[in-house]
Amino acid sequence: MESSRGGQNGIQLLLAAEQEAQRIVNVARTAKQARLKQAKEEAEKEIAEFRAYMEAEFQRKLEQTSGDSGANVKRLEIETNERIEHLKTEASRVSADVVQMLLRHVTTVKN
């Protein structure tokens, strides 16, 4: 009878050890899930901050380039108008010579 009692005691010890091991596993699993959730939240926060930073940088660059493009458009308008005036001046300067040359060629009769 003593031997069966020792066996019962051993089984009780094994069951208690198994329950303790299960409790440790459950605590570790819960801690792991909590840490994963925390890591996910931290990552989402970092992503949101990075996205906001990149959006701000994009808007800043967009403002710089659009401001530049306005200045570029104005500069190009000025350059174009200067070139047009230059061409008009040159055309008026040589137009008399061109008319004379054309008349000479048109009225010259070749045999």
Side-chain angles (χ1 to χ4, degrees), residues 98-110:
V98 171
V99 168
Q100 287 302 316
M101 183 184 68
L102 287 172
L103 283 174
R104 199 169 45 245
H105 282 288
V106 169
T107 58
T108 302
V109 179
K110 288 189 178 182

Side-chain angles (χ1 to χ4, degrees), residues 38-90:
Q38 180 186 4
K40 180 181 176 189
E41 290 169 355
E42 289 172 3
E44 287 172 349
K45 181 182 174 192
E46 285 183 29
I47 289 169
E49 288 172 356
F50 181 71
R51 182 176 284 131
Y53 169 77
M54 291 305 288
E55 180 65 25
E57 280 295 301
F58 174 74
Q59 290 300 328
R60 186 178 64 79
K61 294 227 186 245
L62 193 63
E63 288 171 8
Q64 284 178 345
T65 57
S66 64
D68 287 349
S69 74
N72 286 338
V73 166
K74 190 66 178 166
R75 180 182 56 79
L76 287 174
E77 279 181 12
I78 292 169
E79 286 178 10
T80 302
N81 288 335
E82 287 173 353
R83 287 182 182 168
I84 288 171
E85 288 305 313
H86 176 71
L87 288 173
K88 284 180 180 177
T89 304
E90 287 297 304

